[in-house]
Amino acid sequence: MEEKNLQWFPGHMKKAQHLIEENLRLVDLVIELLDARIPASSQNPLLREILGDKPRLIVLNKADLADKKSLDAWLKNFRDENIPAVAVDAVKGTGLKTLITLAKSLAAPKTNKFARAGAKPRSARLMIVGIPNVGKSSLINRLAGANHVKIENKPGVTRAKQWIKIADGLDLLDMPGILWPKFDDAQVALKLSWTYAISDEIHDLEPTVCKLLETLTEKFPAGLLERYKLENLPADSHELLNLIGRKRGCLVKGGEIDTEKVLRLVLTEFRAGKLGRVTLDEP
Ligand code: G4P
């Protein structure tokens, strides 16, 4: 996607914020989409400020890739803080019924208000916001399903807004709000690179992948052992890279390891969940 290659300069951030603020005026409820593998690192702290008192529903996407125990702990953590939260898989569609039920109940005060005021009843409106690659488009498409039709064009704005009816009394803005990832903290930036919220072009592959291997070796060794059919994991990540390279035939002429190839292989397999279910932030 284009946005993956977007480097976030202050000008971009201002523009993104402005776009979200503009759309915010049109909606009753906001879905803050987070990556279930990094529920803390995939947040943008400024969002709270931008949202003000607008109701917010936290949706932990890519739940299929996250460690199950950690996922439950995160959901409990949000609920303990009275923040509505739900885990979903936007590709398979898991959790979407709960999402819709929660969204409806959060929007109810607003819809009831219309009814009380005797106004022409209208559906509650919501929008999805999140950092790049967190699954915003996938979730919109999945929620839209067969209803992916233009149901209203709102006059008076430069660009017509498209709304999708996703349930009775619930319309979704067909355009997500793109938040910039917070990359000022080195640990957070690493997690964002591993999960591809930050483009591969703006960091050095080797240290990034070596740190990923060190983290997985420490916290989630089983996935590595199984995927690469290893009996044990060397403490040194370069040694581990060599082992993986040999196992997977990432070699150049003369039998040397093709480092670039094995680095990319590990990253791709991690992102696809082939190294096991992993959560990298603790509540
Ligand atoms: P964005 O709009 O927020 O930038 O994210 P987008 O929907 O484009 O999703 C980014 C990638 O994450 C896509 O993979 C998408 O398939 C994947 N994805 C989204 N939701 C989930 C989920 O719940 N579980 C899993 N496992 N993956 C998810 P891609 O490799 O970029 O594209 P493709 O696989 O669709 O070809």
Side-chain angles (χ1 to χ4, degrees), residues 205-206 209 250 252 257-266:
L205 205 55
E206 186 155 345
V209 176
C250 302
V252 286
I257 297 292
D258 185 340
T259 309
E260 171 85 15
K261 198 168 170 187
V262 67
L263 289 169
R264 294 213 178 270
L265 173 110
V266 169

Side-chain angles (χ1 to χ4, degrees), residues 1 3-4 33 61-65 88-92 130-139 176 196 271-272:
M1 276 186 77
E3 71 192 54
K4 269 178 207 154
L33 197 59
N61 188 36
K62 310 201 183 186
D64 56 309
L65 302 178
V88 306
D89 171 344
V91 171
K92 293 200 196 78
I131 62 170
N133 208 41
V134 75
K136 299 179 294 298
S137 313
S138 309
L139 183 59
Y196 207 23
R271 287 172 181 164

Side-chain angles (χ1 to χ4, degrees), residues 18-278:
H18 178 75
L19 276 173
I20 290 181
E21 280 167 345
E22 189 182 284
N23 286 331
L24 213 55
R25 284 191 232 122
L26 308 173
V27 301
D28 307 304
L29 167 70
V30 171
I31 286 181
E32 181 181 8
L33 197 59
L34 301 176
D35 186 321
R37 294 166 297 176
I38 48 169
S41 305
S42 55
Q43 290 180 20
N44 178 317
L46 254 184
L47 182 65
R48 301 297 131 73
E49 237 171 79
I50 304 174
L51 287 188
D53 54 6
K54 189 81 66 180
R56 168 174 65 121
L57 169 60
I58 289 199
V59 175
L60 298 177
N61 188 36
K62 310 201 183 186
D64 56 309
L65 302 178
D67 177 66
K68 279 189 184 137
K69 260 196 189 152
S70 302
L71 188 61
D72 289 341
W74 269 106
L75 287 172
K76 182 178 179 311
N77 180 70
F78 285 123
R79 285 166 194 160
D80 286 351
E81 289 177 21
N82 273 326
I83 303 170
V86 58
V88 306
D89 171 344
V91 171
K92 293 200 196 78
T94 325
L96 298 194
K97 268 193 188 151
T98 315
L99 185 162
I100 286 178
T101 308
L102 272 173
K104 274 183 152 179
S105 72
L106 282 166
K110 187 81 182 198
T111 24
N112 292 344
K113 211 157 96 187
F114 297 137
R116 274 202 308 275
K120 187 168 163 264
R122 72 151 170 86
S123 297
R125 294 172 177 157
L126 71 151
M127 72 180 285
I128 294 172
V129 302
I131 62 170
N133 208 41
V134 75
K136 299 179 294 298
S137 313
S138 309
L139 183 59
I140 291 178
N141 286 335
R142 192 75 207 198
L143 284 170
N147 301 324
H148 208 162
V149 285
K150 207 188 273 191
I151 61 162
E152 182 192 359
N153 275 333
K154 225 182 134 47
V157 274
T158 8
R159 203 138 56 101
K161 306 283 175 195
Q162 236 170 265
W163 298 90
I164 310 157
K165 184 181 170 71
I166 57 165
D168 239 6
L170 208 55
D171 293 350
L172 171 70
L173 186 61
D174 186 17
M175 203 176 38
I178 303 166
L179 283 165
W180 59 99
K182 43 172 190 191
F183 31 65
D184 41 352
D185 176 306
Q187 282 307 312
V188 171
L190 263 178
K191 293 173 190 175
L192 293 168
S193 305
W194 297 338
T195 53
Y196 207 23
I198 294 183
S199 159
D200 286 343
E201 282 139 46
I202 57 175
H203 55 82
D204 288 335
L205 205 55
E206 186 155 345
T208 303
V209 176
C210 283
K211 292 220 177 68
L212 171 63
L213 286 175
E214 284 159 24
T215 305
L216 295 177
T217 299
E218 188 197 332
K219 295 188 171 144
F220 298 95
L224 279 175
L225 287 167
E226 192 182 320
R227 179 75 189 170
Y228 300 118
K229 301 190 170 45
L230 300 168
E231 281 174 10
N232 45 52
L233 299 171
D236 181 75
S237 53
H238 286 94
E239 217 176 292
L240 178 54
L241 266 180
N242 270 322
L243 277 178
I244 296 173
R246 293 207 181 281
K247 284 272 181 185
R248 298 297 293 271
C250 302
L251 304 171
V252 286
K253 265 187 204 152
E256 288 291 301
I257 297 292
D258 185 340
T259 309
E260 171 85 15
K261 198 168 170 187
V262 67
L263 289 169
R264 294 213 178 270
L265 173 110
V266 169
L267 207 46
T268 306
E269 299 203 331
F270 169 75
R271 287 172 181 164
K274 292 185 174 148
L275 306 185
R277 300 173 66 130
V278 163

